[in-house]
Amino acid sequence: MRYLPFGSTGAIVSELGFGGIPIIRLTTEDAVRVLKRAYDRGITFFDTANSYEGSEEKFGSALSGVREKIFIATKSKKRDGKGVTEHIELSLKRMKTDYIDLFQFHQVVQEKDWQAIIAPGGALDAALEARQQGKVRFIGITSHGIPTALKAISTGEFVSIQFPFNFIETGAAESLLPLAQKTGLAFIAMKPFAGGAITDASLAFKFLRSHPYVLPIPGCDSVESVDQVSSFYESPNTVSEEDRRAMESIADTLGKEFCRRCEYCQPCPHGVSITLGMTYQLLASRMSPRVACGYVTKALETIPRCVECGACLPKCPYNLPIPDMLKKHYALFREHRKLYHNEQN
């Protein structure tokens, strides 16, 4: 494992990170075992979020004993100052730490969210105050939309950008990644497996390692998966023509029904939460159906409002059959919810 500068912050982190979603579905005991294994394998960058059920607490249980040797990143979806302050305090408590290395604004895509964050007395001001108080070292932002990400970078307020990057979602390579390099921002690659759509880990990391400026944060739910992913970094990276053809084939196949979460389709005139509806199948595979149901119930219950008006279709840059996919994913959600309720009873 190599250790590299985290952008221009002066911090040094492992070239491979750890994403905190999959440990949601593990018991605390199992999650602690996985996290400690990641640390033992040389991983020092750990990323989670306030909204990842139980993840921050598991980070605290596993990593508080090596706190000074690791770099912890978390996130908040709050857009107001009070909410961000509360979330920072909650994250500190959950992770048993006095400071957060990287606090990130979570999933900023739409203009209304961006304006709320940068408004006087808003979320950014609260994060800056927390940084002044020593509760936060650095501030970053995560997004699924290129325009918003570019706008955020141009402000000079952030030390990092976290964005989807894998051999299916390559849009960042054209504009976002070069600009991050030019301005000294760290680039954190979320969704290295395209949210679970890529099942060939070796192929996924052959692509990622061919971009040495990128810090991938795969989520692992077992000691074996930690060992597998970290083992890719034990030898030089090579990408053959056969590998490239395999990547192209997978991307072409998934492209027909793969939502990139860019949110260009929103807002829906009927109030349908399109993005979460479009991504529910992958979300359930990553979080487990039980956790996913609880996580998105409110959003998924808006899907029956869809009248197939077609307003979303021309907005989708990938020409996805949005109403059909929403119907299919809503049916899956109802199956999962029924199973969950049966378990409770």
Side-chain angles (χ1 to χ4, degrees):
M1 188 73 66
R2 295 184 306 152
Y3 297 88
L4 306 170
F6 186 67
S8 57
T9 63
I12 303 295
V13 299
S14 54
E15 61 181 329
L16 172 67
F18 184 102
I21 288 182
I23 62 168
I24 292 173
R25 56 179 173 262
L26 302 182
T27 64
T28 297
E29 183 181 0
D30 287 341
V32 166
R33 187 178 298 112
V34 171
L35 287 161
K36 287 187 173 180
R37 182 64 169 181
Y39 176 74
D40 289 343
R41 294 285 294 188
I43 294 173
T44 60
F45 185 93
F46 294 86
D47 177 88
T48 184
N50 188 279
S51 61
Y52 298 166
E53 180 186 314
S55 184
E56 287 186 325
E57 290 91 338
K58 290 165 183 173
F59 270 38
S61 296
L63 302 171
S64 58
V66 292
R67 181 65 186 94
E68 300 304 317
K69 298 178 180 179
I70 61 174
F71 189 102
I72 293 181
T74 192
K75 323 177 192 76
S76 171
K77 289 182 179 177
K78 292 293 186 180
R79 308 309 193 211
D80 63 294
K82 182 174 181 291
V84 162
T85 299
E86 290 174 351
H87 268 193
I88 289 173
E89 294 295 336
L90 184 57
S91 294
L92 292 171
K93 180 180 178 181
R94 286 172 169 175
M95 295 193 290
K96 302 177 182 177
T97 183
D98 296 327
Y99 65 96
I100 296 163
D101 292 294
L102 178 67
F103 173 79
Q104 302 159 101
F105 296 108
H106 197 175
Q107 177 53 341
V108 186
V109 176
Q110 299 195 34
E111 181 65 19
K112 64 180 179 65
D113 289 330
W114 173 247
Q115 291 301 326
I117 286 169
I118 62 173
L124 179 57
D125 281 351
L128 290 170
E129 184 176 351
R131 188 178 67 183
Q132 244 183 354
Q133 295 169 344
K135 296 176 180 180
V136 167
R137 292 179 66 198
F138 308 113
I139 301 170
I141 191 167
T142 85
S143 183
H144 290 80
I146 294 284
T148 305
L150 290 172
K151 185 180 293 186
I153 287 178
S154 69
T155 66
E157 295 285 0
F158 306 106
V159 304
S160 64
I161 177 72
Q162 185 173 151
F163 202 86
F165 194 60
N166 50 69
F167 65 73
I168 297 172
E169 300 171 278
T170 60
E174 297 176 8
S175 55
L176 191 55
L177 185 52
L179 183 58
Q181 288 178 278
K182 182 180 178 181
T183 55
L185 263 75
F187 187 97
I188 306 167
M190 69 164 99
K191 309 290 190 298
F193 299 116
I198 299 171
T199 57
D200 189 328
S202 174
L203 207 57
F205 277 87
K206 284 187 176 188
F207 170 82
L208 290 165
R209 292 187 65 203
S210 66
H211 297 81
Y213 184 74
V214 167
L215 170 60
I217 50 169
C220 297
D221 62 0
S222 68
V223 166
E224 291 75 19
S225 58
V226 170
D227 288 345
Q228 179 192 37
V229 173
S230 58
S231 71
F232 297 141
Y233 289 79
E234 294 174 353
S235 56
N237 188 47
T238 58
V239 184
S240 67
E241 282 303 316
E242 185 180 352
D243 292 330
R244 291 190 178 90
R245 286 194 296 271
M247 292 177 197
E248 290 171 4
S249 176
I250 294 169
D252 288 344
T253 301
L254 288 174
K256 295 179 177 63
E257 283 201 4
F258 180 68
C259 175
R260 272 78 168 177
R261 304 163 300 279
C262 64
E263 297 192 18
Y264 294 144
C265 57
Q266 296 186 166
C268 167
H270 302 284
V272 176
S273 182
I274 299 174
T275 302
L276 282 173
M278 291 287 283
T279 57
Y280 176 74
Q281 187 173 21
L282 283 175
L283 191 69
S285 72
R286 294 167 66 212
M287 288 186 163
S288 83
R290 182 191 66 78
V291 174
C293 277
Y295 190 72
V296 298
T297 291
K298 186 176 179 181
L300 268 288
E301 286 176 345
T302 66
I303 292 179
R305 299 179 196 169
C306 177
V307 297
E308 300 185 47
C309 67
C312 56
L313 293 174
K315 298 178 185 177
C316 178
Y318 306 103
N319 299 312
L320 298 179
I322 295 174
D324 291 341
M325 289 178 68
L326 288 176
K327 282 182 186 176
K328 181 170 69 175
H329 292 172
Y330 184 65
L332 181 64
F333 163 72
R334 290 187 65 185
E335 287 179 23
H336 289 166
R337 186 170 58 178
K338 184 178 179 180
L339 287 172
Y340 177 41
H341 286 167
N342 287 342
E343 286 176 8
Q344 286 185 313
N345 298 326

